[in-house]
Amino acid sequence: MSDKRFHLGWFMNFTPDEWREPFGQGGRPWDGQFYVEMARALERACFDYIMIEDKLMVPQTYGGSAKASLNHGMMVPKHDPAPLAVAMGMATQRLGVIATMSTMAYPPFLMARLCSTIDSLTNGRFGWNVVTSAEDLMAKNFGMDRLPPRDQRYEMADEYMEVMGKLFESWDPDAVVLDRDAGIYADETKVRPIDFEGKYYKVRGPLNTVPSPQGRPIYVQAGASPKGRDFAATHADSIVSVASGVEEMRKFRADIRARAEKFGRDPDTIKVMFCVTPTLGETDDEARAKYERMLNSPHFIVDTLASLSAITEIDFAQYDLDRPLPEKLVTNGESGTLDKFQQWGSGKTLRELVVAGGGGLVSSVELVGTPDTVAERMGEVMAEVGGDGFLITTPVLRVSRRFITEVTDGLVPALQKRGLARTAYAHEKLRDNLLDF
Ligand SMILES: Cc1cc2nc3c(=O)[nH]c(=O)nc-3n(C[C@H](O)[C@H](O)[C@H](O)COP(=O)(O)O)c2cc1C
């Protein structure tokens, strides 16, 4: 029998948990315990990885102020993903942990050192979500007035990745000798400066950490623009994406694989993961009612538009909810998300755009039903797309213990029963588990 398994990741952030709903957790997850518990639950369900989103600003685009973000706890407060990744990684044994960090924020030396340290702390289970940032508000926190244009950010990021690679190779894998009798810790002939001098970065090296278990972290990326896709196909081990429907998913994956081949890579070493926001219930009708309740909740439209405003720097509060957008919108920020959202030419009103697409901005296909119904559908979709997996999330990324349990104890067993998800980890390191099938 052929192996039908696909990979599972979870996309979340270090923001308040689902604090507003009847089954919420209280809204103060700042000691990390709630998310550590979540990581343990995902490991029990044999997820490949948990991925922590990040932004470096208090959004204030929607309505021209920080009011909506702060009042609704939307994209803020947002705590640093790196320490949370460490906490999650040290509380688990097999789950991959991925933190988002921006090439516009960290100098490459600090990034390489941090990634190497966390990869060692987690025994080879760390991944870095490589982002180039998307907001001028972020830029203003780092000594810039605005971000460079997207294509230049990717050009900088390409050079950044080159520096990272050289830093990770600045220690030979066998540089640590640890010869107690001779009194030698590391062999100085196996640790070399990199003397890098490029257009944007100048780094002497070598790195001052030992080679980490994976050598370098797993690279995750989400490029959507042509430059972004080239960047992802060049560097990423896993690519995360939001598509509109099965055909678009299939095309996106085929496009990434073609680009990877053009760059001389084996496309099977890149796992493309599609965001989905399943709504699960005891019966299909109950799940559908739950889904409708969410779409019609008074907060849903504002939360969705406020988060979209934050990542595109377009003020969606200025548009009439019951009319189509007046013009095709463009952004120097997250263009892929914006284009998927605005469905230019569809004639839909702004309200309809928010409701369309199955749970806001982040579901590639609509998944509503019992665990069995949803598992069956996920299997069909993957068979049509060709691989490689799903990234489970919620419309505005907030999670409750109840939703986590619905997935880990309802949906995942239904996937496992169909031979669609792993029932045990075969390896200790994240890279090996990703490449397992
Ligand atoms: C699933 C997913 C997760 C993302 N996570 C982040 C993130 O945590 N931080 C961030 O600044 N951008 C994030 N992005 C945005 C991407 O890095 C990228 O900017 C976006 O997909 C647009 O692609 P482009 O830059 O090629 O236009 C994410 C995108 C997707 C689809």
Side-chain angles (χ1 to χ4, degrees), residues 207-219:
L207 207 55
N208 58 352
T209 55
V210 302
S212 74
Q214 295 188 111
R216 63 162 176 83
I218 290 300
Y219 295 145

Side-chain angles (χ1 to χ4, degrees), residues 11 51 53-55 100 129 131 150 154 222-225 228 240-242 275 333-336 391:
F11 184 47
M51 168 170 167
E53 182 264 5
D54 199 34
K55 293 283 174 189
T100 300
N129 180 28
V131 299
R150 176 184 301 102
Y154 278 123
S225 60
V240 292
S241 172
V242 182
C275 280
E334 294 195 21
S335 62
L391 198 57

Side-chain angles (χ1 to χ4, degrees), residues 272-285:
V272 180
M273 310 279 276
F274 291 97
C275 280
V276 284
T277 59
T279 305
L280 300 160
E282 305 285 327
T283 64
D284 287 346
D285 284 348

Side-chain angles (χ1 to χ4, degrees), residues 39 50 72 114 116 154 167 171 231 277 281 290 293 304 397:
I50 184 164
H72 294 223
L114 183 57
S116 168
Y154 278 123
L167 284 170
W171 287 57
F231 180 81
T277 59
K290 204 166 149 187
R293 261 199 317 275
T304 304
L397 275 65

